[in-house]
Amino acid sequence: MQGILYEEESAWLFLLVTVVMGGWAGWMAARAVARGWRPFWQCAAALLLVAAAVRFIHFALFSGTLVSLHYYAVDAIVVMIIGTAGFRVTRTRQMTSQYRWLYEKTSPLTWRERTPVSGEVG
């Protein structure tokens, strides 16, 4: 996978910088956008900036290529996947806790409208 996913000699550097550090930063950025009730497009913009920061860390600390569309795309995809999951987990928690009479959690990433129980008004 060296040369396709990462340019360093070790896959551990890719896992540490892109997946762990970039993923954590993406998760936290997406969580912050969701907690502010902002739309997903703002989350996507923030995650693209996080991916640029991840690319800079590869360049500054490990002599990676700074301006590489290929490796930026790899970093951006990883950060977007983890960040999108963070956004959905946070938004699901918001919808099912703040509007518990309207929505119920169906998975960590999704919710649905509650079905009225027989005898309930509404």
Side-chain angles (χ1 to χ4, degrees):
M1 300 308 289
Q2 199 265 342
I4 297 171
L5 291 180
Y6 56 93
E7 59 185 327
E8 294 89 3
E9 287 104 31
S10 172
W12 294 109
L13 290 175
F14 171 76
L15 292 173
L16 173 69
V17 175
T18 301
V19 178
V20 175
M21 293 171 58
W24 176 80
W27 181 280
M28 296 306 285
R31 183 173 173 251
V33 171
R35 288 183 70 165
W37 291 97
R38 293 180 180 91
F40 181 75
W41 70 266
Q42 289 184 359
C43 176
L47 294 174
L48 290 175
L49 290 174
V50 170
V54 168
R55 183 85 321 248
F56 179 75
I57 292 171
H58 280 289
F59 167 74
L61 298 180
F62 305 109
S63 300
T65 307
L66 178 62
V67 182
S68 168
L69 185 60
H70 172 84
Y71 293 121
Y72 174 75
V74 171
D75 292 341
I77 289 169
V78 171
V79 169
M80 290 289 270
I81 289 170
I82 296 170
T84 300
F87 183 87
R88 291 296 297 182
V89 165
T90 304
R91 185 56 50 94
T92 299
R93 189 176 306 125
Q94 285 176 314
M95 295 298 286
T96 57
S97 64
Q98 293 184 17
Y99 303 107
R100 69 177 64 95
W101 64 92
L102 291 175
Y103 302 109
E104 61 188 353
K105 187 186 241 184
T106 56
S107 77
L109 302 176
T110 61
W111 66 91
R112 68 174 176 217
E113 287 189 37
R114 283 193 180 272
T115 54
V117 179
S118 61
E120 277 189 0
V121 175

